[in-house]
Amino acid sequence: MRRGELTDEAWAVIAPLLPEPGGARGRWRDHRQVVNGILWKLRTGAPWRDLPERYGPWKTCHERLRRWTADGTWDRILAAAQVHDDGTPVQWTISVDSSIVRAHQHAAGARKRGSATRAATPGTQDGEAIGRSRGGLSTKIHLAVDGRGRPLSILLTPGQAGDNPQLLALLDAICVNEPGPGRPRKRPEVLIADKGYAHDSTRRALRHRGIRHVIPERSDQVARRAAKGSNGGRPPAFDKAIYRKRNVVERCFNRFKQWRDLATRYAKRASLYRASLVLIAAIIWLP
C-alpha cells in the first residue's frame, strides 16, 4: 500500500458496495487499483493523462469515476462510511459553513446538454455550479459536519451565491442510516453556524423544525432591536461554549483542501467534482 491509497480496513467497507468485477464484455480491471488511481489523481491534482501506469489506463479510472457518479455509487459509499462501526458514532451537534474554491480555466466551458439552460445536477444548484466572484471563476462548497468534523452533506453552488439560502437544502441532504430499525436520521440536536446564517426567516424555519440553533446576531440586528427599546424583544439565545465547537467545520475544509484536485476545481462537470468531494468525505470517515 502506497501513501494516500486505501487501507485494508477502508477497502473492507467499500468493496461490497461496488459492482461485480465482471460483465458481458469480460472482467473489469481490479476495482481497488482503479479507486487508488482516482485517489492519486485527487491528491496530486495532476492531469488524468499523467496517471502512473501502476493504476492502469487513465481512461479506465476516469470512466469508472464518471460511471459510478451517474449510478450513485459514491453516495452509497459515503452513507455506509457514516454508519461504519469504528467506536465513534455520529455526534449530532452539527456545524455548517461554506468555502470558495477557484475554478481553473479547464473547468469552464462544459457543453450544454439538451436545452440551453441545463437542469441542476443533484447535489448542486444552478447547473455546473461555476460563477464569478471576487478573483474570477469560482465554486462554493456548502458543508455540514458532525461534532467530530466528519462530513454529513455537501452542496455546490456558484461562488457568488449566498450561504443562508442553501442552509435548509443542506440540512435536508443529511440522511444517516443509524444501526438498528427505524428511519434514517436527518434532524440534528444542535445546529452551529456563523453570522452569515443570522436571518430571522432562518431562525423561524429552524424553530418550526424543532432544531435548537446557536447563531450569533449581526451588529445591525443588535442595533435595530436596541432602537425599538422594549418593543425590540429579547435577543435570541446564544451559548458561547457550544459556539466554540464550530471550528470543526473549518478543520474539515482544511482536510478537503489537502487534496489538490479539490482545493482547485479542474472538473468541467459539477457532478464529477461533487463525486470527488463525496469520495474524500467517505475517506475521512473510514479508518
Side-chain angles (χ1 to χ4, degrees), residues 78 94-101 123-126 129-131 138-145 150-174 191 193-194 196-197 249-250 252-253 256-257 262 273-274 277-278 281:
L78 176 58
I94 304 302
S95 298
V96 299
D97 205 351
S98 68
S99 181
I100 290 180
V101 295
T124 71
Q125 300 289 342
D126 301 327
I130 294 180
S138 59
T139 292
K140 182 175 282 189
I141 306 170
H142 302 264
L143 180 66
V145 303
R150 299 172 297 185
L152 292 174
S153 62
I154 300 169
L155 182 69
L156 298 183
T157 63
Q160 78 276 11
D163 292 353
N164 186 67
Q166 317 307 326
L167 176 60
L168 297 182
L170 191 64
L171 294 179
D172 289 339
I174 297 174
L191 173 71
D194 63 17
Y197 302 88
V249 67
E250 303 292 351
C252 187
F253 276 122
F256 273 124
K257 292 185 178 182
L262 304 183
Y273 183 67
R274 182 182 176 275
L277 289 165
V278 169

Coordinates of all heavy atoms in Angstrom, one line a residue, residues 78 94-101 123-126 129-131 138-145 150-174 191 193-194 196-197 249-250 252-253 256-257 262 273-274 277-278 281:
L78 N -20.4 6.8 0.9 CA -20.4 7.7 2.0 C -21.5 7.4 3.0 O -21.2 7.4 4.2 CB -20.7 9.2 1.5 CG -20.8 10.2 2.5 CD1 -19.6 10.3 3.4 CD2 -21.1 11.6 1.9
I94 N -24.3 19.7 14.9 CA -23.9 19.9 13.5 C -23.4 21.3 13.3 O -24.0 22.3 13.8 CB -25.2 19.7 12.6 CG1 -25.8 18.3 12.8 CG2 -24.8 19.9 11.2 CD1 -24.8 17.2 12.6
S95 N -22.3 21.4 12.6 CA -21.8 22.7 12.2 C -21.9 22.9 10.7 O -21.6 21.9 10.0 CB -20.3 22.9 12.7 OG -20.2 22.8 14.1
V96 N -22.2 24.1 10.2 CA -22.3 24.3 8.8 C -21.5 25.5 8.4 O -21.4 26.5 9.2 CB -23.8 24.5 8.3 CG1 -24.6 23.3 8.6 CG2 -24.4 25.7 9.0
D97 N -21.0 25.5 7.2 CA -20.3 26.7 6.7 C -20.1 26.5 5.2 O -20.5 25.4 4.6 CB -19.0 26.9 7.4 CG -18.5 28.3 7.4 OD1 -19.1 29.1 6.6 OD2 -17.5 28.7 8.1
S98 N -19.4 27.4 4.6 CA -19.1 27.3 3.1 C -17.7 27.8 2.9 O -17.1 28.4 3.7 CB -20.1 28.2 2.3 OG -19.8 29.5 2.5
S99 N -17.2 27.3 1.7 CA -15.8 27.7 1.4 C -15.8 27.8 -0.2 O -16.3 27.0 -0.9 CB -14.8 26.7 1.9 OG -13.5 27.1 1.5
I100 N -15.1 28.9 -0.6 CA -14.9 29.1 -2.1 C -13.7 28.4 -2.6 O -12.6 28.5 -2.0 CB -14.9 30.6 -2.4 CG1 -16.3 31.2 -2.2 CG2 -14.5 30.8 -3.8 CD1 -16.4 32.7 -2.5
V101 N -13.8 27.7 -3.7 CA -12.6 27.2 -4.4 C -12.5 27.8 -5.8 O -13.5 28.1 -6.4 CB -12.7 25.6 -4.5 CG1 -12.6 25.0 -3.2 CG2 -13.9 25.2 -5.3
G123 N -27.4 17.6 -5.9 CA -26.3 18.0 -5.0 C -25.7 19.3 -5.4 O -24.7 19.7 -4.8
T124 N -26.2 19.9 -6.4 CA -25.7 21.2 -6.9 C -26.9 22.2 -7.0 O -28.0 21.8 -7.1 CB -24.9 21.2 -8.2 OG1 -25.8 20.9 -9.3 CG2 -23.9 20.1 -8.1
Q125 N -26.5 23.4 -7.2 CA -27.5 24.5 -7.6 C -27.0 25.2 -8.8 O -25.8 25.4 -8.9 CB -27.7 25.5 -6.4 CG -28.2 24.8 -5.1 CD -29.7 24.4 -5.2 OE1 -30.4 24.8 -6.1 NE2 -30.1 23.5 -4.3
D126 N -27.9 25.5 -9.7 CA -27.6 26.3 -10.9 C -26.6 25.6 -11.8 O -25.5 26.0 -12.1 CB -27.0 27.6 -10.5 CG -28.0 28.4 -9.7 OD1 -29.2 28.3 -9.9 OD2 -27.5 29.2 -8.8
A129 N -22.5 24.9 -11.4 CA -22.0 25.5 -10.2 C -20.7 26.2 -10.3 O -19.8 26.2 -9.5 CB -21.9 24.4 -9.1
I130 N -20.6 26.9 -11.4 CA -19.5 27.9 -11.6 C -20.0 29.3 -11.8 O -20.9 29.5 -12.6 CB -18.6 27.4 -12.8 CG1 -17.9 26.1 -12.5 CG2 -17.5 28.5 -13.1 CD1 -17.0 25.6 -13.7
G131 N -19.5 30.2 -11.0 CA -19.9 31.6 -11.2 C -18.8 32.5 -11.0 O -17.6 32.1 -10.8
S138 N -15.4 30.7 -9.8 CA -15.3 30.0 -8.6 C -16.5 29.2 -8.3 O -17.6 29.4 -8.9 CB -15.1 31.0 -7.4 OG -16.1 31.9 -7.3
T139 N -16.3 28.2 -7.4 CA -17.4 27.3 -7.0 C -17.4 27.4 -5.5 O -16.4 27.5 -4.8 CB -17.2 25.9 -7.4 OG1 -17.3 25.8 -8.8 CG2 -18.1 24.9 -6.8
K140 N -18.6 27.4 -4.9 CA -18.7 27.4 -3.4 C -19.2 26.0 -2.9 O -20.1 25.5 -3.4 CB -19.7 28.5 -3.0 CG -19.8 28.6 -1.4 CD -20.7 29.8 -1.0 CE -19.9 31.1 -1.1 NZ -20.7 32.2 -0.5
I141 N -18.5 25.5 -1.9 CA -18.8 24.2 -1.3 C -19.5 24.6 0.0 O -19.0 25.3 0.9 CB -17.6 23.4 -0.9 CG1 -16.7 23.2 -2.2 CG2 -18.0 22.1 -0.3 CD1 -15.4 22.6 -1.9
H142 N -20.8 24.1 0.2 CA -21.5 24.2 1.4 C -21.5 22.8 2.1 O -21.7 21.8 1.5 CB -23.0 24.6 1.1 CG -23.1 25.8 0.3 ND1 -23.4 27.1 0.9 CD2 -23.0 26.1 -1.0 CE1 -23.4 28.0 0.0 NE2 -23.2 27.4 -1.2
L143 N -21.1 22.9 3.4 CA -20.8 21.6 4.1 C -21.4 21.6 5.5 O -21.5 22.6 6.2 CB -19.2 21.5 4.2 CG -18.7 20.3 4.9 CD1 -18.9 19.1 4.1 CD2 -17.2 20.5 5.1
A144 N -22.0 20.4 5.8 CA -22.5 20.2 7.2 C -21.6 19.0 7.7 O -21.5 18.0 7.1 CB -23.9 19.8 7.2
V145 N -21.1 19.2 9.0 CA -20.3 18.2 9.6 C -20.9 17.8 11.0 O -21.6 18.6 11.6 CB -18.8 18.6 9.7 CG1 -18.3 19.0 8.4 CG2 -18.7 19.8 10.7
R150 N -16.8 15.4 10.8 CA -16.9 14.4 9.7 C -18.1 14.8 8.8 O -19.2 15.1 9.3 CB -17.1 13.0 10.3 CG -15.9 12.6 11.1 CD -16.1 11.3 11.8 NE -17.2 11.4 12.8 CZ -17.5 10.4 13.6 NH1 -16.9 9.2 13.5 NH2 -18.5 10.5 14.4
P151 N -17.9 14.8 7.5 CA -18.9 15.3 6.6 C -20.2 14.5 6.6 O -20.3 13.3 6.6 CB -18.3 15.2 5.2 CG -16.8 15.1 5.5 CD -16.7 14.3 6.8
L152 N -21.3 15.3 6.7 CA -22.7 14.7 6.6 C -23.4 15.0 5.3 O -24.1 14.1 4.8 CB -23.5 15.2 7.8 CG -23.1 14.7 9.2 CD1 -23.9 15.4 10.2 CD2 -23.2 13.2 9.3
S153 N -23.2 16.2 4.8 CA -23.9 16.5 3.5 C -23.0 17.6 2.8 O -22.4 18.4 3.5 CB -25.3 17.0 3.7 OG -25.4 18.2 4.4
I154 N -23.1 17.6 1.5 CA -22.3 18.5 0.6 C -23.2 19.1 -0.5 O -23.9 18.3 -1.1 CB -21.1 17.8 0.0 CG1 -20.2 17.2 1.1 CG2 -20.3 18.7 -0.9 CD1 -19.1 16.2 0.5
L155 N -23.1 20.4 -0.7 CA -23.9 21.0 -1.7 C -23.0 22.0 -2.5 O -22.1 22.7 -1.8 CB -25.1 21.8 -1.1 CG -26.0 22.5 -2.0 CD1 -26.8 21.5 -2.9 CD2 -27.0 23.4 -1.2
L156 N -23.1 22.1 -3.8 CA -22.3 23.0 -4.6 C -23.2 24.1 -5.1 O -24.3 23.9 -5.6 CB -21.6 22.3 -5.7 CG -20.6 21.2 -5.4 CD1 -20.0 20.6 -6.7 CD2 -19.5 21.7 -4.5
T157 N -22.6 25.3 -5.2 CA -23.3 26.5 -5.8 C -22.2 27.3 -6.5 O -21.0 27.1 -6.3 CB -24.0 27.4 -4.8 OG1 -23.0 28.0 -3.9 CG2 -25.1 26.6 -4.0
P158 N -22.6 28.2 -7.4 CA -21.6 29.1 -8.0 C -21.0 30.0 -6.8 O -21.6 30.1 -5.8 CB -22.5 30.0 -8.9 CG -23.6 29.2 -9.3 CD -23.9 28.3 -8.1
G159 N -19.8 30.5 -7.0 CA -19.1 31.1 -6.0 C -19.8 32.4 -5.4 O -19.5 32.7 -4.3
Q160 N -20.6 33.0 -6.2 CA -21.2 34.3 -5.7 C -22.5 34.0 -4.9 O -23.1 35.0 -4.4 CB -21.5 35.2 -6.9 CG -22.8 34.8 -7.7 CD -22.5 33.8 -8.7 OE1 -21.5 33.2 -8.8 NE2 -23.5 33.6 -9.6
A161 N -22.9 32.8 -4.8 CA -24.2 32.5 -4.1 C -24.0 32.7 -2.6 O -22.9 32.5 -2.0 CB -24.6 31.1 -4.3
G162 N -25.1 33.2 -1.9 CA -25.0 33.4 -0.5 C -25.1 32.1 0.3 O -25.6 31.1 -0.3
D163 N -24.7 32.2 1.5 CA -24.7 31.0 2.4 C -26.1 30.6 2.9 O -26.5 29.5 2.8 CB -23.8 31.2 3.6 CG -22.3 31.3 3.2 OD1 -22.0 31.0 2.0 OD2 -21.5 31.6 4.1
N164 N -26.8 31.6 3.4 CA -28.1 31.4 4.1 C -29.1 30.7 3.2 O -29.8 29.8 3.7 CB -28.6 32.7 4.6 CG -29.9 32.5 5.4 OD1 -29.8 31.9 6.5 ND2 -31.0 33.0 5.0
P165 N -29.3 31.1 1.9 CA -30.3 30.4 1.1 C -30.1 28.9 0.9 O -31.1 28.2 0.6 CB -30.3 31.1 -0.2 CG -29.7 32.5 0.1 CD -28.7 32.2 1.2
Q166 N -28.9 28.4 1.2 CA -28.6 27.0 1.0 C -28.8 26.2 2.2 O -28.6 24.9 2.2 CB -27.2 26.8 0.4 CG -26.8 27.8 -0.7 CD -27.7 27.8 -1.8 OE1 -28.3 26.8 -2.2 NE2 -27.9 29.0 -2.4
L167 N -29.0 26.8 3.4 CA -29.0 26.1 4.6 C -30.0 25.0 4.7 O -29.7 23.8 5.1 CB -29.2 27.1 5.8 CG -29.2 26.4 7.2 CD1 -27.9 25.7 7.5 CD2 -29.5 27.5 8.3
L168 N -31.3 25.3 4.4 CA -32.3 24.2 4.6 C -32.1 23.1 3.6 O -32.3 21.9 3.9 CB -33.7 24.9 4.3 CG -34.1 25.9 5.4 CD1 -35.5 26.4 5.1 CD2 -34.0 25.4 6.8
A169 N -31.6 23.4 2.4 CA -31.3 22.3 1.4 C -30.1 21.4 1.9 O -30.1 20.2 1.8 CB -31.0 22.9 0.1
L170 N -29.2 22.1 2.6 CA -28.0 21.3 3.1 C -28.5 20.4 4.3 O -28.1 19.3 4.4 CB -27.0 22.4 3.6 CG -25.6 21.8 4.0 CD1 -24.9 21.2 2.8 CD2 -24.8 22.9 4.7
L171 N -29.4 20.9 5.1 CA -29.9 20.1 6.2 C -30.8 19.0 5.6 O -30.8 17.8 6.2 CB -30.7 20.9 7.2 CG -30.0 22.0 8.0 CD1 -30.9 22.8 8.9 CD2 -28.9 21.4 8.8
D172 N -31.6 19.2 4.6 CA -32.4 18.2 4.0 C -31.6 17.1 3.4 O -32.1 15.9 3.3 CB -33.3 18.8 2.9 CG -34.4 19.7 3.5 OD1 -34.7 19.5 4.7 OD2 -34.9 20.6 2.8
A173 N -30.4 17.4 3.0 CA -29.5 16.4 2.4 C -28.9 15.4 3.4 O -28.3 14.4 3.1 CB -28.4 17.0 1.6
I174 N -29.0 15.7 4.7 CA -28.5 14.8 5.8 C -29.4 13.7 5.9 O -30.6 13.8 6.1 CB -28.3 15.6 7.1 CG1 -27.3 16.7 7.0 CG2 -27.9 14.6 8.2 CD1 -27.3 17.6 8.3
L191 N -27.6 23.0 16.0 CA -27.0 23.5 14.7 C -26.2 24.7 15.1 O -26.7 25.6 15.7 CB -28.1 23.9 13.7 CG -27.6 24.6 12.5 CD1 -26.8 23.6 11.6 CD2 -28.7 25.2 11.7
A193 N -23.8 27.8 13.5 CA -23.5 28.5 12.2 C -23.0 29.9 12.6 O -23.3 30.4 13.7 CB -24.7 28.5 11.3
D194 N -22.3 30.5 11.6 CA -21.8 31.9 11.9 C -22.9 32.9 11.5 O -24.0 32.6 11.1 CB -20.5 32.1 11.1 CG -20.6 32.0 9.6 OD1 -21.8 32.1 9.1 OD2 -19.6 31.8 8.9
G196 N -23.4 34.6 8.9 CA -23.9 34.5 7.6 C -25.3 33.9 7.5 O -26.0 34.0 6.5
Y197 N -25.6 33.2 8.6 CA -26.9 32.5 8.6 C -27.9 33.1 9.6 O -28.9 32.6 9.9 CB -26.7 31.0 9.0 CG -25.8 30.3 8.1 CD1 -24.4 30.2 8.3 CD2 -26.3 29.6 7.0 CE1 -23.6 29.5 7.4 CE2 -25.5 28.9 6.1 CZ -24.1 28.9 6.4 OH -23.3 28.2 5.5
V249 N -15.9 22.5 11.5 CA -16.2 22.6 10.1 C -15.1 23.2 9.3 O -14.8 22.8 8.1 CB -17.6 23.3 9.8 CG1 -17.5 24.8 10.2 CG2 -18.0 23.2 8.4
E250 N -14.4 24.2 9.9 CA -13.2 24.8 9.3 C -12.1 23.7 9.1 O -11.4 23.7 8.1 CB -12.7 26.0 10.1 CG -13.8 27.0 10.4 CD -14.1 27.8 9.1 OE1 -13.5 27.6 8.1 OE2 -15.1 28.6 9.2
C252 N -12.5 20.6 8.8 CA -12.9 19.6 7.7 C -12.6 20.2 6.3 O -12.1 19.5 5.5 CB -14.4 19.3 7.8 SG -14.9 18.0 6.7
F253 N -12.8 21.5 6.1 CA -12.5 22.1 4.9 C -11.0 22.0 4.7 O -10.5 21.8 3.5 CB -12.9 23.6 4.9 CG -14.3 23.8 4.5 CD1 -15.2 24.5 5.3 CD2 -14.8 23.4 3.2 CE1 -16.5 24.7 4.9 CE2 -16.1 23.6 2.8 CZ -17.0 24.2 3.7
F256 N -10.2 18.6 3.3 CA -10.6 18.5 1.9 C -9.5 19.1 1.0 O -9.2 18.6 0.0 CB -11.9 19.2 1.7 CG -13.1 18.3 1.9 CD1 -14.1 18.7 2.8 CD2 -13.3 17.1 1.2 CE1 -15.3 17.9 3.0 CE2 -14.4 16.3 1.4 CZ -15.4 16.7 2.3
K257 N -9.1 20.3 1.4 CA -8.2 21.1 0.5 C -6.7 20.6 0.6 O -5.9 21.1 -0.1 CB -8.3 22.5 0.9 CG -9.6 23.1 0.5 CD -9.7 24.6 0.7 CE -11.1 25.1 0.3 NZ -11.2 26.6 0.4
L262 N -9.2 19.1 -5.2 CA -10.4 19.6 -4.6 C -10.1 21.1 -4.2 O -11.1 21.9 -4.2 CB -10.8 18.8 -3.4 CG -11.1 17.4 -3.6 CD1 -11.5 16.7 -2.3 CD2 -12.1 17.1 -4.7
Y273 N -17.1 16.8 -9.9 CA -16.4 17.5 -8.8 C -17.0 17.1 -7.4 O -16.4 16.8 -6.5 CB -16.4 19.0 -9.0 CG -15.7 19.7 -7.9 CD1 -14.3 19.6 -7.8 CD2 -16.3 20.6 -7.0 CE1 -13.6 20.3 -6.8 CE2 -15.6 21.2 -6.0 CZ -14.3 21.1 -5.9 OH -13.6 21.8 -5.0
R274 N -18.4 17.1 -7.4 CA -19.1 16.7 -6.2 C -18.8 15.3 -5.8 O -18.6 14.9 -4.6 CB -20.6 16.9 -6.3 CG -21.3 16.6 -5.0 CD -22.8 16.8 -5.1 NE -23.4 16.3 -3.9 CZ -23.8 15.1 -3.6 NH1 -23.5 14.1 -4.5 NH2 -24.3 14.7 -2.4
L277 N -15.6 15.1 -4.0 CA -15.8 15.5 -2.6 C -16.4 14.4 -1.8 O -16.0 14.2 -0.7 CB -16.6 16.8 -2.6 CG -16.0 18.1 -3.1 CD1 -17.1 19.1 -3.3 CD2 -15.0 18.6 -2.1
V278 N -17.4 13.7 -2.4 CA -18.1 12.7 -1.6 C -17.1 11.5 -1.3 O -17.1 10.9 -0.2 CB -19.3 12.2 -2.4 CG1 -19.9 10.9 -1.8 CG2 -20.4 13.3 -2.4
A281 N -14.9 12.6 1.4 CA -15.7 12.6 2.6 C -15.8 11.2 3.2 O -15.7 11.0 4.5 CB -17.1 13.1 2.4

